Amino acid sequence: MESFASVSLSQKIFSRLLVLYPRGYREQFGPHMSQLFKDCSREALALRGTTGLITLWLATLPDLFKTAFEENFKEITHMSKEKFHRLGKWAFVLGAALFLLAFVIGGMETSTEDPLGGPDALIEYFKLGIGPLAMLLFFVGIASLRSAYGDAAGSVAKTMLSIAAIGSLIGGIGAIGMGLMLSGEPWWYLFFGGAMFMLLGIGVFGVYCMQRKVLPGLSWLFALGGLTLPLLSLAQIVFQLATDTQANPAEWASQLALGVTSLALLAAGLQLQGTQDIAPKTAKR
Amino acid sequence: MKATTPHDLLPLTPAVFHILLALMDQERHGYGIMKEVEQQTEGEMLLRPGTLYQAIKRMIELGMIEETDDRPDPSLDDERRRYYRVTGLGRKVASAEAERLRKLLALARNKQVTAFGAPS
């Protein structure tokens, strides 16, 4: 009778301690763990009496604390990652929307004096804050893309997304410099160079996604949105070197490239909302 | 969360491999697994409830084992006990792990590493 009471008390205390585990885990395995501990208590008591029960507790408690900590940690990091990916996808959409907005507004008043040869008013709006904000949003979006799909897209694509993220930060710094009206050209080149690396990184990521069939149906949008402007710039540089002139592309070509870029990135970001994250191929046991 | 090939899941932790081995010949509940592992390792590995169910959770998520409602002898059993059985993937993973360990052992023997330490 006394042994039955000891086992019952032992199980009750153990069941109370299961509160240390995350709720979902507790609901799924709590009753079975409790039953298992009851069996162990019964066996320990039958074999070695109270000493056996105390020894069982001394061995079980560290194991319980350790695994409860690990499960809670997993729960927290898993939730944080999910939230970060959700937030990042929206940040990408907003970044692309601001890019598009700047393009539309910029298209209303144009000149051909900037190095891209495109709408100069775009630069003015970037100076007012759209640029830094768009770049910051792109940074968050690219970081979450890297976290959610980087492993599936491969190491090169992952590295290119890192370059894209760094590019967005550099571009953002350049845009802030322009916004603060700091003396002209270096800030413009910082912004322009950062934006080009950002787009190139996104574009190459898109190409690798197409190759590996990651994000089917929208990977081509990343490739198109990311590569259009860098390819135009490359064509411009090649043309200038070949002809030994400072000729810029026609304004319509620049505007078309900006439009394609912003629309493709916006469409990619919107379609991204409905996609699932892809877990790394090699999961930890 | 399920792996594409058994090799994606290697190497296994000792606890996971022993649980798979314990379930190879028959379905078992938690306590049954614990006792079988204790027996098959001659008492060297004692799985506690936390470690055991943490491994079981992970193995279910990865598709290596699954819960079953079947009970070998319902009259002898408590409904609160949950039985587990190894899946096809679980069997393949166990084979792949055994093969990995066989190669590792062959390498150790080739280097003349014995149970008592490295060659002098």
Side-chain angles (χ1 to χ4, degrees), chain B residues 87-109:
Chain B
T87 62
L89 175 67
R91 286 183 190 280
K92 286 177 189 165
V93 171
S95 298
E97 176 69 354
E99 179 61 14
R100 188 188 70 82
L101 291 174
R102 189 193 62 74
K103 285 180 183 166
L104 196 64
L105 187 63
L107 177 67
R109 282 189 177 137

PDB file of all heavy atoms in Angstrom, chain B residues 87-109:
ATOM      1  N   THR B  87       9.182   2.686 -39.722  1.00  0.00           N
ATOM      2  CA  THR B  87       8.637   2.817 -41.086  1.00  0.00           C
ATOM      3  C   THR B  87       9.654   2.266 -42.095  1.00  0.00           C
ATOM      4  O   THR B  87      10.776   1.921 -41.713  1.00  0.00           O
ATOM      5  CB  THR B  87       8.384   4.299 -41.423  1.00  0.00           C
ATOM      6  OG1 THR B  87       9.643   4.977 -41.365  1.00  0.00           O
ATOM      7  CG2 THR B  87       7.405   4.946 -40.464  1.00  0.00           C
ATOM      8  N   GLY B  88       9.260   2.265 -43.344  1.00  0.00           N
ATOM      9  CA  GLY B  88      10.178   1.833 -44.406  1.00  0.00           C
ATOM     10  C   GLY B  88      11.422   2.705 -44.434  1.00  0.00           C
ATOM     11  O   GLY B  88      12.551   2.218 -44.539  1.00  0.00           O
ATOM     12  N   LEU B  89      11.208   4.013 -44.301  1.00  0.00           N
ATOM     13  CA  LEU B  89      12.352   4.936 -44.288  1.00  0.00           C
ATOM     14  C   LEU B  89      13.244   4.636 -43.078  1.00  0.00           C
ATOM     15  O   LEU B  89      14.469   4.633 -43.190  1.00  0.00           O
ATOM     16  CB  LEU B  89      11.863   6.400 -44.231  1.00  0.00           C
ATOM     17  CG  LEU B  89      12.964   7.450 -44.101  1.00  0.00           C
ATOM     18  CD1 LEU B  89      13.837   7.504 -45.356  1.00  0.00           C
ATOM     19  CD2 LEU B  89      12.393   8.834 -43.818  1.00  0.00           C
ATOM     20  N   GLY B  90      12.595   4.381 -41.936  1.00  0.00           N
ATOM     21  CA  GLY B  90      13.353   4.073 -40.720  1.00  0.00           C
ATOM     22  C   GLY B  90      14.259   2.868 -40.909  1.00  0.00           C
ATOM     23  O   GLY B  90      15.413   2.865 -40.476  1.00  0.00           O
ATOM     24  N   ARG B  91      13.749   1.833 -41.587  1.00  0.00           N
ATOM     25  CA  ARG B  91      14.558   0.625 -41.834  1.00  0.00           C
ATOM     26  C   ARG B  91      15.738   0.951 -42.747  1.00  0.00           C
ATOM     27  O   ARG B  91      16.854   0.490 -42.519  1.00  0.00           O
ATOM     28  CB  ARG B  91      13.696  -0.469 -42.495  1.00  0.00           C
ATOM     29  CG  ARG B  91      12.743  -1.108 -41.523  1.00  0.00           C
ATOM     30  CD  ARG B  91      11.944  -2.245 -42.134  1.00  0.00           C
ATOM     31  NE  ARG B  91      10.907  -2.635 -41.193  1.00  0.00           N
ATOM     32  CZ  ARG B  91      11.111  -3.420 -40.138  1.00  0.00           C
ATOM     33  NH1 ARG B  91      12.313  -3.915 -39.917  1.00  0.00           N
ATOM     34  NH2 ARG B  91      10.129  -3.706 -39.312  1.00  0.00           N
ATOM     35  N   LYS B  92      15.470   1.761 -43.762  1.00  0.00           N
ATOM     36  CA  LYS B  92      16.559   2.131 -44.687  1.00  0.00           C
ATOM     37  C   LYS B  92      17.622   2.964 -43.969  1.00  0.00           C
ATOM     38  O   LYS B  92      18.816   2.810 -44.206  1.00  0.00           O
ATOM     39  CB  LYS B  92      15.991   2.930 -45.865  1.00  0.00           C
ATOM     40  CG  LYS B  92      15.228   2.068 -46.850  1.00  0.00           C
ATOM     41  CD  LYS B  92      14.632   2.927 -47.949  1.00  0.00           C
ATOM     42  CE  LYS B  92      13.684   2.114 -48.816  1.00  0.00           C
ATOM     43  NZ  LYS B  92      12.834   2.957 -49.647  1.00  0.00           N
ATOM     44  N   VAL B  93      17.159   3.874 -43.107  1.00  0.00           N
ATOM     45  CA  VAL B  93      18.096   4.719 -42.363  1.00  0.00           C
ATOM     46  C   VAL B  93      18.959   3.849 -41.445  1.00  0.00           C
ATOM     47  O   VAL B  93      20.176   4.044 -41.366  1.00  0.00           O
ATOM     48  CB  VAL B  93      17.333   5.789 -41.538  1.00  0.00           C
ATOM     49  CG1 VAL B  93      18.274   6.528 -40.606  1.00  0.00           C
ATOM     50  CG2 VAL B  93      16.646   6.787 -42.456  1.00  0.00           C
ATOM     51  N   ALA B  94      18.327   2.882 -40.775  1.00  0.00           N
ATOM     52  CA  ALA B  94      19.080   1.994 -39.881  1.00  0.00           C
ATOM     53  C   ALA B  94      20.132   1.210 -40.676  1.00  0.00           C
ATOM     54  O   ALA B  94      21.275   1.066 -40.228  1.00  0.00           O
ATOM     55  CB  ALA B  94      18.130   1.043 -39.169  1.00  0.00           C
ATOM     56  N   SER B  95      19.749   0.715 -41.864  1.00  0.00           N
ATOM     57  CA  SER B  95      20.707  -0.025 -42.709  1.00  0.00           C
ATOM     58  C   SER B  95      21.862   0.873 -43.122  1.00  0.00           C
ATOM     59  O   SER B  95      23.027   0.460 -43.074  1.00  0.00           O
ATOM     60  CB  SER B  95      20.029  -0.542 -43.977  1.00  0.00           C
ATOM     61  OG  SER B  95      19.009  -1.422 -43.641  1.00  0.00           O
ATOM     62  N   ALA B  96      21.521   2.098 -43.531  1.00  0.00           N
ATOM     63  CA  ALA B  96      22.561   3.038 -43.975  1.00  0.00           C
ATOM     64  C   ALA B  96      23.501   3.376 -42.820  1.00  0.00           C
ATOM     65  O   ALA B  96      24.719   3.483 -43.018  1.00  0.00           O
ATOM     66  CB  ALA B  96      21.914   4.309 -44.521  1.00  0.00           C
ATOM     67  N   GLU B  97      22.956   3.536 -41.634  1.00  0.00           N
ATOM     68  CA  GLU B  97      23.790   3.852 -40.471  1.00  0.00           C
ATOM     69  C   GLU B  97      24.694   2.667 -40.124  1.00  0.00           C
ATOM     70  O   GLU B  97      25.876   2.841 -39.813  1.00  0.00           O
ATOM     71  CB  GLU B  97      22.901   4.225 -39.276  1.00  0.00           C
ATOM     72  CG  GLU B  97      23.649   4.494 -37.972  1.00  0.00           C
ATOM     73  CD  GLU B  97      24.496   5.759 -37.972  1.00  0.00           C
ATOM     74  OE1 GLU B  97      24.605   6.403 -39.042  1.00  0.00           O
ATOM     75  OE2 GLU B  97      25.060   6.089 -36.922  1.00  0.00           O
ATOM     76  N   ALA B  98      24.139   1.454 -40.204  1.00  0.00           N
ATOM     77  CA  ALA B  98      24.937   0.258 -39.915  1.00  0.00           C
ATOM     78  C   ALA B  98      26.093   0.148 -40.916  1.00  0.00           C
ATOM     79  O   ALA B  98      27.232  -0.175 -40.538  1.00  0.00           O
ATOM     80  CB  ALA B  98      24.058  -0.980 -39.979  1.00  0.00           C
ATOM     81  N   GLU B  99      25.796   0.455 -42.169  1.00  0.00           N
ATOM     82  CA  GLU B  99      26.828   0.401 -43.212  1.00  0.00           C
ATOM     83  C   GLU B  99      27.900   1.460 -42.953  1.00  0.00           C
ATOM     84  O   GLU B  99      29.100   1.213 -43.102  1.00  0.00           O
ATOM     85  CB  GLU B  99      26.171   0.610 -44.584  1.00  0.00           C
ATOM     86  CG  GLU B  99      27.099   0.615 -45.783  1.00  0.00           C
ATOM     87  CD  GLU B  99      27.862  -0.699 -45.975  1.00  0.00           C
ATOM     88  OE1 GLU B  99      27.482  -1.702 -45.348  1.00  0.00           O
ATOM     89  OE2 GLU B  99      28.857  -0.693 -46.721  1.00  0.00           O
ATOM     90  N   ARG B 100      27.456   2.640 -42.543  1.00  0.00           N
ATOM     91  CA  ARG B 100      28.400   3.732 -42.226  1.00  0.00           C
ATOM     92  C   ARG B 100      29.321   3.309 -41.077  1.00  0.00           C
ATOM     93  O   ARG B 100      30.538   3.496 -41.141  1.00  0.00           O
ATOM     94  CB  ARG B 100      27.625   4.999 -41.836  1.00  0.00           C
ATOM     95  CG  ARG B 100      28.470   6.242 -41.678  1.00  0.00           C
ATOM     96  CD  ARG B 100      27.667   7.399 -41.108  1.00  0.00           C
ATOM     97  NE  ARG B 100      27.316   7.197 -39.712  1.00  0.00           N
ATOM     98  CZ  ARG B 100      28.126   7.443 -38.691  1.00  0.00           C
ATOM     99  NH1 ARG B 100      29.335   7.905 -38.912  1.00  0.00           N
ATOM    100  NH2 ARG B 100      27.730   7.233 -37.450  1.00  0.00           N
ATOM    101  N   LEU B 101      28.732   2.704 -40.070  1.00  0.00           N
ATOM    102  CA  LEU B 101      29.524   2.277 -38.913  1.00  0.00           C
ATOM    103  C   LEU B 101      30.471   1.129 -39.281  1.00  0.00           C
ATOM    104  O   LEU B 101      31.585   1.049 -38.772  1.00  0.00           O
ATOM    105  CB  LEU B 101      28.593   1.861 -37.761  1.00  0.00           C
ATOM    106  CG  LEU B 101      27.820   3.019 -37.113  1.00  0.00           C
ATOM    107  CD1 LEU B 101      26.828   2.485 -36.081  1.00  0.00           C
ATOM    108  CD2 LEU B 101      28.754   4.016 -36.444  1.00  0.00           C
ATOM    109  N   ARG B 102      29.994   0.248 -40.205  1.00  0.00           N
ATOM    110  CA  ARG B 102      30.857  -0.858 -40.650  1.00  0.00           C
ATOM    111  C   ARG B 102      32.112  -0.310 -41.330  1.00  0.00           C
ATOM    112  O   ARG B 102      33.224  -0.752 -41.053  1.00  0.00           O
ATOM    113  CB  ARG B 102      30.082  -1.768 -41.621  1.00  0.00           C
ATOM    114  CG  ARG B 102      30.798  -3.056 -41.980  1.00  0.00           C
ATOM    115  CD  ARG B 102      30.153  -3.763 -43.155  1.00  0.00           C
ATOM    116  NE  ARG B 102      30.179  -2.981 -44.392  1.00  0.00           N
ATOM    117  CZ  ARG B 102      31.261  -2.784 -45.146  1.00  0.00           C
ATOM    118  NH1 ARG B 102      32.423  -3.314 -44.795  1.00  0.00           N
ATOM    119  NH2 ARG B 102      31.204  -2.063 -46.248  1.00  0.00           N
ATOM    120  N   LYS B 103      31.909   0.695 -42.183  1.00  0.00           N
ATOM    121  CA  LYS B 103      33.061   1.299 -42.890  1.00  0.00           C
ATOM    122  C   LYS B 103      33.995   1.981 -41.897  1.00  0.00           C
ATOM    123  O   LYS B 103      35.215   1.923 -42.032  1.00  0.00           O
ATOM    124  CB  LYS B 103      32.567   2.306 -43.923  1.00  0.00           C
ATOM    125  CG  LYS B 103      31.976   1.672 -45.163  1.00  0.00           C
ATOM    126  CD  LYS B 103      31.505   2.737 -46.131  1.00  0.00           C
ATOM    127  CE  LYS B 103      30.846   2.121 -47.345  1.00  0.00           C
ATOM    128  NZ  LYS B 103      30.096   3.111 -48.124  1.00  0.00           N
ATOM    129  N   LEU B 104      33.399   2.645 -40.924  1.00  0.00           N
ATOM    130  CA  LEU B 104      34.188   3.358 -39.910  1.00  0.00           C
ATOM    131  C   LEU B 104      35.018   2.363 -39.101  1.00  0.00           C
ATOM    132  O   LEU B 104      36.204   2.584 -38.826  1.00  0.00           O
ATOM    133  CB  LEU B 104      33.234   4.127 -38.991  1.00  0.00           C
ATOM    134  CG  LEU B 104      33.851   5.210 -38.114  1.00  0.00           C
ATOM    135  CD1 LEU B 104      34.437   6.327 -38.949  1.00  0.00           C
ATOM    136  CD2 LEU B 104      32.791   5.780 -37.165  1.00  0.00           C
ATOM    137  N   LEU B 105      34.395   1.242 -38.771  1.00  0.00           N
ATOM    138  CA  LEU B 105      35.079   0.207 -38.006  1.00  0.00           C
ATOM    139  C   LEU B 105      36.218  -0.390 -38.826  1.00  0.00           C
ATOM    140  O   LEU B 105      37.327  -0.620 -38.301  1.00  0.00           O
ATOM    141  CB  LEU B 105      34.075  -0.878 -37.596  1.00  0.00           C
ATOM    142  CG  LEU B 105      34.592  -1.952 -36.657  1.00  0.00           C
ATOM    143  CD1 LEU B 105      35.000  -1.349 -35.318  1.00  0.00           C
ATOM    144  CD2 LEU B 105      33.509  -3.005 -36.418  1.00  0.00           C
ATOM    145  N   ALA B 106      35.948  -0.616 -40.122  1.00  0.00           N
ATOM    146  CA  ALA B 106      36.981  -1.160 -41.009  1.00  0.00           C
ATOM    147  C   ALA B 106      38.170  -0.202 -41.079  1.00  0.00           C
ATOM    148  O   ALA B 106      39.337  -0.623 -41.046  1.00  0.00           O
ATOM    149  CB  ALA B 106      36.401  -1.396 -42.401  1.00  0.00           C
ATOM    150  N   LEU B 107      37.879   1.089 -41.134  1.00  0.00           N
ATOM    151  CA  LEU B 107      38.939   2.093 -41.180  1.00  0.00           C
ATOM    152  C   LEU B 107      39.757   2.064 -39.886  1.00  0.00           C
ATOM    153  O   LEU B 107      40.997   2.096 -39.914  1.00  0.00           O
ATOM    154  CB  LEU B 107      38.307   3.486 -41.381  1.00  0.00           C
ATOM    155  CG  LEU B 107      39.268   4.667 -41.392  1.00  0.00           C
ATOM    156  CD1 LEU B 107      40.188   4.616 -42.606  1.00  0.00           C
ATOM    157  CD2 LEU B 107      38.494   5.987 -41.383  1.00  0.00           C
ATOM    158  N   ALA B 108      39.040   1.974 -38.769  1.00  0.00           N
ATOM    159  CA  ALA B 108      39.727   1.939 -37.468  1.00  0.00           C
ATOM    160  C   ALA B 108      40.627   0.707 -37.371  1.00  0.00           C
ATOM    161  O   ALA B 108      41.763   0.792 -36.904  1.00  0.00           O
ATOM    162  CB  ALA B 108      38.704   1.951 -36.343  1.00  0.00           C
ATOM    163  N   ARG B 109      40.113  -0.419 -37.875  1.00  0.00           N
ATOM    164  CA  ARG B 109      40.912  -1.661 -37.839  1.00  0.00           C
ATOM    165  C   ARG B 109      42.130  -1.537 -38.746  1.00  0.00           C
ATOM    166  O   ARG B 109      43.209  -1.981 -38.417  1.00  0.00           O
ATOM    167  CB  ARG B 109      40.052  -2.842 -38.270  1.00  0.00           C
ATOM    168  CG  ARG B 109      39.135  -3.301 -37.156  1.00  0.00           C
ATOM    169  CD  ARG B 109      38.450  -4.606 -37.511  1.00  0.00           C
ATOM    170  NE  ARG B 109      37.624  -5.059 -36.413  1.00  0.00           N
ATOM    171  CZ  ARG B 109      36.409  -5.561 -36.543  1.00  0.00           C
ATOM    172  NH1 ARG B 109      35.880  -5.674 -37.733  1.00  0.00           N
ATOM    173  NH2 ARG B 109      35.732  -5.956 -35.491  1.00  0.00           N
TER     174      ARG B 109
END
